[in-house]
Amino acid sequence: MAVNNDYIKYITEQLSGVSPFETKKMFGGIGFFKDDVMFAMIGNNAFRLKVNESNQSDFEKYGMKPYQSDSKKKGMPYWEVPKEIIDNKKQLTLWAKKAIDVAKKIK
């Protein structure tokens, strides 16, 4: 599955508050890495951040659910980010910083 390059560019620009970070192609999508940990991904035309109990309620307030892998038949610790958060660079930076902290704790 191809990922839209314009969407990747937009997300990368919106995440400028947590730069520098790397992106890597993986499993038909894109992984976002900071300090050698994956904190976000684009897959199935959605941007997702890593979640645990410390930031889960942020996503639940918007009715979001964990990503379900068709191949694994279970939820993964990445939740879709609401469009209104993606479009608000300041809010997205806050959410991304929380996801980075989650990824570092899980590592």
Side-chain angles (χ1 to χ4, degrees), residues 6-7 10 32-33 54 63-64 73 80 82 103:
D6 290 335
Y7 188 62
Y10 177 67
F32 290 77
F33 294 80
S54 69
M64 298 303 177
K73 304 291 184 205
E80 186 171 350

Side-chain angles (χ1 to χ4, degrees), residues 12-103:
T12 299
E13 290 170 358
Q14 291 300 97
L15 288 171
S16 64
V18 295
S19 289
F21 57 85
E22 297 179 318
T23 59
K24 297 179 186 176
K25 290 183 181 180
M26 20 186 347
F27 312 114
I30 301 292
F32 290 77
F33 294 80
K34 181 151 181 92
D35 301 329
D36 297 321
V37 296
M38 187 168 143
F39 70 95
M41 64 182 281
I42 295 176
N44 296 331
N45 298 313
F47 177 65
R48 297 178 177 85
L49 289 170
K50 194 150 202 162
V51 173
N52 73 3
E53 65 280 347
S54 69
N55 63 343
Q56 183 173 328
S57 65
D58 294 339
F59 293 81
E60 290 174 335
K61 287 176 190 172
Y62 287 87
M64 298 303 177
K65 305 251 185 242
Y67 173 63
Q68 296 289 321
S69 169
D70 292 335
S71 62
K72 294 184 181 183
K73 304 291 184 205
K74 65 177 186 174
M76 296 178 66
Y78 292 92
W79 292 47
E80 186 171 350
V81 180
K83 183 174 179 357
E84 48 268 62
I85 299 298
I86 293 172
D87 291 342
N88 182 324
K89 192 181 279 192
K90 186 175 180 179
Q91 283 297 311
L92 184 58
T93 296
L94 294 173
W95 282 41
K97 286 180 178 179
K98 288 180 184 181
I100 292 165
D101 289 343
V102 167

